[in-house]
């Protein structure tokens, strides 16, 4: 036809219903079979389902053939086009190529990145094919002025095409096949135009193949192209401004201008699809269109705005919410969606932010509302997907305790056997291995666990040990087979049959199909694959698949991506995540072509991506009622509003008092939802903060003995003594044993003990002394810490202080010798009835027959004032030594108390033997302890939380139990009698 049949539908209308209304108006008088000969091409599978639903609503008629524009094969059954290689096989083929290239050039990429690079290379090849460029487009890419990295990237892209052509006769991907089908149809219709109705609806022509197809269909005798979200109010000078692509590719209507140029028509040639179908709010559409006008004509904002209706009416159903945080934004959106359900309105949350959609869905769950999420749940986040990823990591390397427990505690583990016994065994295993500080459980450790406890868990432990055994096979086919067998064994459990609940439910069936597809494609990767690489491949592969459950969603609450915005048909649209970097999002990194190279090859540039996102925004904001939301801050810093939101607010702010008042009203309406979300976070009734506890248990249950190191705790944080010795609680050991300061101190103590045991060999030879210290460090640091990096760091720090340690120890050994190291002693106080215990680091017998008490410190030693007030360890040990409390050590006076620093920059600290009043410090400390214990042997004395914390940075092991944070150090303790009364 001489004039293309191009039509538009304004933004905001129910697109499926509008297309159907237009077809009924045009074919109402045609024979019924005309509907059966009609082909309706739509932009996506979701739109195809919506069109089918619109036809299902009646009346009775023959239904057209409804196809997504990506499925053109039924329209060209006789086309001689080779089959396409499935995407997964193409990725694996390219991964094989990249693996070979990295073997030859190790600086090309790390092995762990091969599959990600293969995915991005597949995307690039799809894009080249979609734009009709192919391998010949690389001939136009000039890399002479670019860095060698880009020159090598271009060579790899060219090599990929050659490699695929030599490896497989099929086309490299479905996008190549779609392009060839589109070209075949265009050629076929150019020679013999079909007289059957062919309608293409919903596409913007962003891809070259689709745009060529749109031009061909628009010229068919019974063809028509229906454009979504066409701006009929856009002035001619604004359309003319779009002719410069450098400054207008980011405009929402730019793709339509390109289509017009291809077809040789002007905007006036595009007519409304339905003359009587108007946008829900035409005035708002004009306002938004003006706000998003091309940059060169923004200087005409004021003049163009003079023709707008009153701004208060134009923005009456438009609200703006600036939330202080993403959490509050999600809660406010959830409340608005709940309100829509209660008032019987159909609502959609439209955003590209998947983290935000998960938060909103979680908030809606409290009211039993399950939204219809078009994106579904990523397969790798479903229970079977998570288990598959966990077992893949189990194959990749020996499991840590946390990884093993994550597998054993997974809800799909041991679902074919007695899961109750399994969970009990898992709990006991966790406590056992945590207490033993086992970082990576071995089969031997597990079998030893099973042999204990009268063999109750022997069979279970053998099953867990089998899970940790190495799995054979190095090819991808073998890896998948071993992985599937391992995962089914985990799901089956000991003594079970089948695969438990692993492949049940919708997510399980989807996971099984995905793994079978991966197994079918695996022969495309013929080389070896490392376990880590397999785990990386699986994680990325499952993360690109989604699972939807059609049985659960609420019919009137949707979560859409930005592409679905053009569907319309909702009463309320909530546009969320309106921050730059989210909507529009940042362009994805391209390891193969930089911006200039993409321009030379005719590929999508960031501006074109932004223009497509802008078109989605323009359609979404045209709904009957709209709520715009953004978070002012994220977890890291303040955010920047989306450029389109900035445009709209700047336009309103610049239109004088009327515009400012309209903007304030929008923000006020949005603030109501923020206030409701804040109120939702508040408890129904105020809950008073917990008081500072000071429990008073019966005297008979109070401890009758303590180590000297715990006396400091009794002084500073008595509540910790109450929790440990009376309640019988202890701090749970970490899942991953950490080489902390306490661990380092223990290791250094053993190093010094071994070092001093050889002092006769090096007492007068500093070089020999340094060598002896190094040997002691090598022997004992390695035994106490399995982490090689930590051992090296600890050794390096110790040896940096070696000269000082050797010199100081030489002086000490010249005046005496160690006579007790790390041996326990006890002293009965008599009255009160209490025993003091100690295990000194070291006691030296000096030449005059007196003792010196030494204590090693890897950190900062306490000061003399701290010793007198809090840290009573050395004075109490001195008092015990002077009274003969240590076996094999006769009673004798103590002349010295010293903290020996083992740190790099530390200094030894001598503690005076007298206190500030001139009294003997050890005797004073022992008398003070007697008085302290006497007070705690009365019911009136409570165990106050952090009684003498000294600084606000003081941390106790039981602060969470005492509800620290609800009370402060300035609060008075609240005594409370606990336990049975006498």
């Amino acid at each position: 036809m001489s004039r293309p049949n191009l039509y538009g539908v304004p933004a905001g209308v129910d697109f499926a219903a509008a297309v159907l209304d237009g077809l009924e108006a045009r074919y109402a008088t045609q024979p019924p079979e005309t509907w059966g000969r009609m082909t309706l091409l739509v932009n996506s599978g979701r739109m195809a389902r919506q069109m089918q639903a619109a036809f299902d609503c009646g009346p009775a008629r023959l239904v057209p053939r409804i196809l997504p524009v990506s499925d053109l094969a039924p329209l060209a059954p006789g086309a001689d086009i080779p089959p396409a290689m499935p995407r997964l096989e193409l990725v694996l083929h390219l991964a094989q190529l990249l693996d070979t290239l990295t073997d030859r050039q190790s600086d090309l990429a790390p092995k762990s990145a091969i599959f990600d690079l293969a995915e991005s290379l597949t995307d690039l090849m799809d894009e080249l094919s979609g734009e009709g460029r192919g391998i010949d487009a690389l001939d136009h890419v000039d890399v002479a002025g670019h860095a060698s990295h880009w020159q090598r990237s271009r060579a790899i892209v060219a090599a990929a095409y050659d490699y695929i052509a030599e490896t497989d006769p099929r086309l490299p991907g479905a996008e190549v096949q779609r392009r060839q089908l589109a070209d075949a149809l265009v050629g076929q219709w150019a020679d013999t135009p079909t007289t059957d109705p062919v309608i293409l609806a919903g596409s913007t022509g962003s891809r070259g193949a689709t745009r060529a197809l749109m031009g061909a269909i628009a010229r068919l005798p019974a063809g028509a192209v229906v454009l979504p979200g066409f701006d009929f109010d856009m002035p001619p000078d604004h359309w003319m401004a779009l002719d410069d692509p450098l400054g207008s590719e980011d405009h929402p209507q730019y793709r339509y201008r390109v289509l017009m140029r291809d077809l040789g028509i002007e905007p006036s040639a595009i007519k409304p699809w339905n003359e009587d179908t108007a946008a829900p709010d035409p005035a708002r559409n004009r306002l938004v269109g003006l706000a998003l006008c091309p940059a060169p004509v923004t200087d005409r904002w004021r003049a163009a705005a003079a023709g707008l209706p009153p701004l208060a009416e134009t923005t009456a159903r438009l609200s703006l919410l600036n939330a202080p945080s993403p959490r509050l934004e999600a809660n406010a959106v959830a409340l608005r969606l709940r309100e829509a359900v209660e008032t019987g309105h159909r609502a959609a949350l439209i955003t590209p932010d998947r983290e935000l959609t998960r938060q909103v869905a979680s908030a809606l769950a409290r009211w039993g509302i399950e939204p219809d999420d078009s994106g579904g749940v990523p397969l790798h986040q479903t229970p079977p997907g998570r288990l598959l990823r966990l077992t893949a990591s189990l194959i990749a390397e020996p499991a840590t305790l946390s990884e093993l427990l994550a597998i054993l505690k997974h809800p799909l583990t041991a679902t074919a056997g007695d899961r109750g016994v399994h969970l009990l065994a898992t709990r006991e295993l966790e406590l056992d291995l945590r207490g033993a500080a086992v970082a990576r459980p071995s089969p031997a450790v597990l079998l030893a666990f099973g042999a204990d406890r009268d063999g109750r868990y022997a069979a279970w432990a053998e099953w867990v040990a089998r899970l940790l055994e190495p799995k054979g096979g190095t090819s991808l086919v073998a890896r998948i087979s071993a992985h599937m067998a391992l995962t089914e064994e985990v799901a089956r459990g000991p003594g079970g049959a089948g695969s438990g609940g692993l492949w049940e439910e919708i997510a399980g069936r989807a996971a099984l199909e995905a793994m079978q597809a991966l197994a079918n494609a695996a022969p495309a990767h013929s080389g070896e694959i490392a376990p880590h690489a397999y785990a990386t491949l699986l994680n990325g592969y499952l993360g690109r698949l989604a699972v939807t459950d059609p049985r659960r969603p609420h019919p009137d609450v949707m979560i859409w991506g930005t592409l679905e915005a053009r569907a319309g048909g909702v009463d309320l649209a909530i546009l969320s995540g309106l921050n730059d970097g989210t909507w529009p999002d940042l362009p994805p990194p391209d390891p193969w072509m930089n911006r200039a190279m993409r321009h030379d090859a005719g590929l999508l540039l960031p501006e074109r991506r932004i223009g497509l996102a802008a078109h989605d925004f323009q359609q979404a904001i045209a709904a009957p009622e709209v709520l715009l939301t953004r978070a002012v801050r994220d977890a890291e810093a303040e955010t920047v509003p989306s450029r389109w939101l900035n445009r709209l607010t700047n336009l309103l702010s610049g239109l004088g008092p009327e515009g400012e008042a309209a903007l304030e009203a929008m923000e006020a309406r949005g603030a109501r939802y923020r206030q409701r979300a804040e109120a939702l976070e508040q408890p129904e009734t105020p809950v008073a903060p917990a008081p500072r506890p000071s429990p008073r248990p019966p005297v008979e249950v109070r401890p009758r003995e303590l180590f000297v190191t715990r006396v400091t705790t009794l002084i500073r944080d008595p509540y910790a003594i109450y929790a440990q010795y009376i309640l019988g609680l202890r701090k749970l050991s970490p899942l991953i044993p950490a080489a902390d300061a306490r661990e380092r101190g223990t290791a250094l103590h053993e190093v010094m003990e071994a070092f001093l045991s050889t002092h006769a060999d090096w007492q007068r030879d500093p070089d020999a002394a340094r060598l002896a210290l190094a040997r002691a460090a090598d022997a004992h640091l390695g035994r106490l810490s399995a982490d090689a990096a930590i051992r090296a760091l600890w050794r390096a720090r110790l040896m940096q202080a070696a000269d000082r340690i050797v010199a100081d120890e030489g002086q000490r050994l010249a005046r005496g010798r160690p006579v007790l190291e790390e041996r326990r002693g006890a002293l009965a106080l008599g009255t009160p009835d209490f025993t003091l215990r100690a295990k000194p680091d070291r006691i030296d017998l000096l030449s005059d027959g007196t003792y010196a008490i030494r204590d090693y410190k890897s950190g900062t030693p306490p000061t003399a004032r701290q010793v007198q007030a809090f840290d009573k360890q050395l004075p109490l040990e001195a008092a015990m030594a002077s009274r003969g409390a240590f076996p094999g050590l006769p009673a004798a006076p103590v002349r010295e108390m010293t903290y020996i620093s083992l740190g790099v920059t530390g200094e030894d600290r001598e503690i005076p033997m007298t206190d500030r009043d001139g009294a003997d410090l050890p005797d004073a400390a022992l008398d003070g302890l007697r008085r302290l214990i006497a007070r705690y042997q009365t019911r009136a004395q409570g165990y106050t939380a952090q009684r003498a914390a000294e600084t606000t940075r003081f941390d106790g092991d039981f602060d969470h139990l005492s509800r620290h944070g609800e009370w402060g150090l300035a609060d008075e303790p609240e005594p409370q009698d606990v336990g049975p009364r006498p």
Side-chain angles (χ1 to χ4, degrees):
M1 297 184 64
S2 58
R3 186 185 68 81
N5 290 324
L6 247 66
Y7 301 92
V9 172
V13 302
D14 186 337
F15 189 76
V19 170
L20 182 54
D21 290 342
L23 291 175
E24 289 178 336
R26 286 167 174 77
Y27 293 96
T29 60
Q30 295 293 321
E33 62 271 16
T34 304
W35 290 91
R37 292 187 291 106
M38 183 186 301
T39 298
L40 184 57
L41 293 172
V42 293
N43 63 298
S44 66
R46 187 179 183 89
M47 182 63 74
R49 292 190 294 272
Q50 289 181 330
M51 290 299 311
Q52 184 64 53
F55 277 97
D56 290 344
C57 291
R61 63 162 68 89
L62 294 175
V63 178
R65 178 168 49 179
I66 304 174
L67 299 172
V69 74
S70 59
D71 183 15
L72 299 176
L75 297 181
D80 186 16
I81 296 175
M85 186 187 307
R87 177 185 173 88
L88 184 56
E89 289 189 33
L90 178 58
V91 169
L92 294 178
H93 272 302
L94 295 178
Q96 181 73 51
L97 169 65
L98 293 172
D99 190 41
T100 303
L101 292 176
T102 53
D103 288 338
R104 299 174 183 172
Q105 303 180 39
S106 58
D107 63 333
L108 177 63
K111 291 287 187 180
S112 59
I114 284 177
F115 289 102
D116 289 335
L117 287 174
E119 287 282 355
S120 64
L121 185 53
T122 302
D123 292 336
L124 176 62
M125 294 174 68
D126 282 347
E127 190 176 345
L128 284 165
S129 301
E131 294 299 315
R133 304 293 176 176
I135 184 62
D136 56 340
L138 300 181
D139 298 335
H140 305 289
V141 177
D142 182 12
V143 295
H146 297 300
S148 59
H149 162 71
W150 298 113
Q151 298 177 21
R152 185 166 58 177
S153 296
R154 182 197 179 283
I156 293 174
V157 175
Y161 277 95
D162 295 338
Y163 178 80
I164 295 300
E166 297 171 0
T167 305
D168 199 302
R170 294 173 294 178
L171 295 175
E175 192 64 38
V176 183
Q177 187 183 54
R178 282 193 288 269
R179 179 71 199 204
Q180 293 191 10
L181 283 169
D183 292 343
L185 281 173
V186 171
Q188 175 183 323
W189 287 335
D191 296 336
T192 310
T194 179
T195 57
D196 293 337
V198 180
I199 314 297
L200 195 157
S203 179
T204 61
S206 59
R207 286 296 183 97
T210 306
R211 192 165 61 250
L213 192 64
M214 292 167 71
I217 292 175
R219 295 190 182 278
L220 290 175
V225 173
V226 185
L227 305 176
F230 186 80
D231 190 354
F232 289 101
D233 299 314
M234 193 164 166
D237 59 331
H238 289 196
W239 284 110
M240 292 175 61
L242 297 182
D243 288 335
D244 179 14
L246 294 179
S248 55
E249 272 199 298
D250 59 351
H251 190 272
Q253 301 289 312
Y254 176 77
R255 304 314 309 159
Y256 293 155
R257 186 57 174 168
V258 174
L259 182 62
M260 294 177 202
R261 288 201 301 266
D262 290 349
L263 298 178
I265 61 175
E266 292 300 321
S268 57
I270 300 178
K271 304 299 181 184
W273 178 245
N274 293 321
E275 293 292 345
D276 55 349
T277 298
D281 195 332
R284 191 199 308 151
N285 283 10
R286 291 176 59 190
L287 174 68
V288 173
L290 180 60
L292 303 182
C293 71
V297 294
T298 52
D299 59 337
R300 306 169 204 171
W301 260 358
R302 285 185 178 275
L308 291 174
L311 294 179
E313 298 178 10
T314 303
T315 60
R317 304 194 71 188
L318 191 61
S319 305
L320 174 58
L321 167 63
N322 290 300
S325 67
R327 174 185 173 87
L328 202 63
E329 179 185 13
N331 285 342
V333 169
L335 281 168
R336 185 64 186 93
L337 290 172
R338 179 193 175 187
E339 183 182 44
V341 171
E342 292 177 346
T343 55
H345 291 95
R346 198 163 183 260
L349 166 62
I350 304 172
T351 179
D353 189 345
R354 295 301 300 168
E355 179 65 28
L356 179 64
T357 61
R358 284 192 288 271
Q359 291 180 336
V360 171
S362 177
L364 287 172
R366 74 179 72 181
W367 303 301
I369 300 174
E370 179 79 19
D372 182 3
D373 190 346
S374 66
V377 179
L379 182 56
H380 74 297
Q381 292 182 357
T382 63
R386 289 182 184 274
L387 186 58
L388 284 166
R389 289 193 293 137
L390 289 170
T391 51
S393 65
L394 191 63
I395 295 176
E397 62 180 353
T400 64
L401 178 58
S402 60
E403 291 169 341
L404 178 61
L405 291 175
I407 292 174
L408 297 179
K409 292 183 178 182
H410 192 281
L412 291 176
T413 299
T415 48
D418 191 337
R419 184 164 167 81
V421 173
H422 164 75
L423 293 177
L424 285 174
T426 300
R427 177 182 179 276
E428 293 200 26
L429 176 68
E430 177 179 359
L431 294 176
D432 193 57
L433 297 188
R434 274 180 182 250
V438 177
R440 293 184 182 272
S442 64
V445 169
L446 293 168
L447 293 176
F449 166 79
D452 295 337
R453 297 166 180 79
D454 300 326
R456 294 196 309 272
Y457 303 129
W460 180 86
E462 291 175 2
W463 168 73
V464 180
R466 286 199 304 272
L467 301 181
L468 301 182
E469 293 175 355
K471 308 300 183 291
T474 58
S475 68
L476 181 57
V477 173
R479 296 284 185 203
I480 295 172
S481 177
H483 181 215
M484 291 282 284
L486 174 63
T487 309
E488 291 182 345
E489 173 71 12
V490 168
R492 181 166 51 249
S499 56
L502 178 61
W503 310 125
E504 297 177 357
E505 303 297 333
I506 292 178
R509 292 192 290 272
L512 180 59
E513 292 176 3
M515 293 304 297
Q516 289 173 341
L518 182 60
N520 293 336
H525 191 285
S526 58
E528 295 185 354
I529 179 171
H532 286 90
Y534 173 72
T536 301
L537 165 66
L538 185 79
N539 189 38
Y541 169 60
L542 297 181
R544 281 180 287 273
L545 303 176
V547 180
T548 57
D549 189 344
R551 303 169 302 176
R552 296 163 55 189
H554 194 287
D556 292 329
V557 179
M558 282 78 65
I559 294 179
W560 287 347
T562 56
L563 180 64
E564 285 84 10
R566 65 186 65 173
V570 294
D571 304 311
L572 167 68
I574 302 177
L575 282 62
S576 296
L578 286 170
N579 287 322
D580 248 28
T582 302
W583 195 2
D585 61 351
L586 299 174
D590 188 346
W592 305 109
M593 289 187 174
N594 60 19
R595 193 178 187 280
M597 294 168 65
R598 294 182 68 85
H599 180 269
D600 292 343
L603 300 178
L604 286 172
L605 299 179
E607 293 82 359
R608 292 174 65 184
R609 299 179 188 275
I610 293 173
L612 297 174
H615 187 252
D616 296 335
F617 172 82
Q618 187 178 33
Q619 294 183 98
I621 200 174
E625 184 173 355
V626 175
L627 172 62
L628 308 172
T629 77
R630 60 177 291 264
V632 177
R633 287 187 62 89
D634 59 16
E636 299 176 355
E638 290 189 4
T639 57
V640 177
S642 169
R643 61 195 67 191
W644 308 309
L645 185 59
N646 255 341
R647 280 282 196 104
L648 180 59
T649 56
N650 288 343
L651 173 61
L652 290 173
S653 299
L655 294 181
E658 183 186 8
E660 293 174 356
L663 181 58
E664 290 176 0
M666 289 168 53
E667 293 174 336
R669 288 190 290 270
R672 290 202 299 268
Y673 298 107
R674 186 195 69 232
Q675 294 163 1
R676 293 177 187 176
E678 291 171 344
L680 186 66
E681 296 287 302
Q682 301 300 320
E684 294 183 3
T685 57
V687 178
R692 186 179 184 180
S694 183
R696 299 188 300 197
V699 173
E700 57 269 20
V701 301
R702 301 190 180 202
R704 296 293 175 174
E705 62 178 38
L706 282 178
F707 271 85
V708 291
T709 53
R710 302 304 287 166
V711 172
T712 301
T713 306
L714 180 63
I715 296 172
R716 301 188 67 175
D717 189 13
Y719 188 86
I721 300 296
Y722 164 75
Q724 181 177 356
Y725 292 94
I726 299 174
L727 298 184
L729 303 177
R730 63 181 178 86
K731 184 179 180 181
L732 192 63
S733 301
L735 277 173
I736 302 176
D740 55 12
R742 183 176 180 180
E743 180 92 4
R744 179 173 178 241
T746 301
L748 292 178
H749 286 181
E750 296 210 6
V751 170
M752 290 301 296
E753 184 177 354
F755 170 60
L756 293 174
S757 67
T758 61
H759 72 277
D761 300 331
W762 54 260
Q763 190 167 357
R764 292 178 178 83
D765 187 347
D767 292 334
R770 280 190 293 271
L771 180 59
L773 183 62
R775 288 173 176 171
D778 293 337
H780 292 275
L781 292 181
R783 185 174 62 83
L784 293 175
S785 178
D787 191 323
I790 292 296
R791 292 199 305 270
L793 177 62
W794 288 357
R795 187 187 188 282
R797 288 180 176 177
L798 179 64
M799 296 313 295
Q800 277 186 290
D803 290 341
R804 177 177 57 80
I805 293 173
V806 167
D808 291 345
E809 288 300 337
Q811 295 177 10
R812 294 189 189 101
L813 293 174
R815 296 186 296 111
R817 59 184 177 84
V819 292
L820 184 143
E821 292 178 313
E822 298 285 349
R823 291 209 310 269
R824 297 189 179 191
L827 177 66
L829 300 186
T831 304
D833 181 15
F834 191 86
T835 301
L836 180 64
R837 299 188 180 276
K839 185 181 178 183
D841 288 351
R842 170 180 166 189
I843 297 179
D844 287 3
L845 177 63
L846 303 181
S847 56
D848 61 358
T850 59
Y851 293 131
I853 308 296
R854 319 285 193 194
D855 191 79
Y856 300 118
K857 286 294 181 183
S858 57
T860 303
T863 64
R865 293 184 61 184
Q866 289 173 327
V867 169
Q868 292 185 16
F870 305 113
D871 203 319
K872 304 291 186 177
Q873 178 184 350
L874 289 192
L876 289 175
E877 288 177 353
M880 294 174 68
S882 65
R883 288 162 174 80
F886 296 101
L889 208 63
V894 175
R895 195 175 74 183
E896 295 179 12
M897 296 185 296
T898 310
Y899 283 110
I900 299 175
S901 175
L902 301 180
V904 177
T905 59
E907 294 182 358
D908 298 344
R909 182 164 291 166
E910 296 287 341
I911 303 300
M913 294 302 298
T914 58
D915 61 14
R916 285 170 293 186
D917 299 327
D920 183 77
L921 184 58
D923 291 344
L926 190 61
D927 290 341
L929 176 63
R930 284 194 175 98
R931 292 192 298 271
L932 181 66
I933 296 301
R935 286 202 304 271
Y936 276 99
Q937 289 189 353
T938 63
R939 186 68 182 265
Q941 179 63 46
Y943 289 84
T944 302
Q946 294 198 13
R947 188 189 70 83
E950 186 184 15
T951 67
T952 57
R953 294 176 306 208
F954 180 84
D955 292 325
D957 289 343
F958 301 96
D959 286 350
H960 59 295
L961 185 64
S962 67
R963 309 278 290 270
H964 185 216
E966 297 185 43
W967 53 267
L969 296 178
D971 295 341
E972 287 295 326
E974 183 176 295
Q976 182 181 12
D977 289 340
V978 295
R981 294 183 178 277

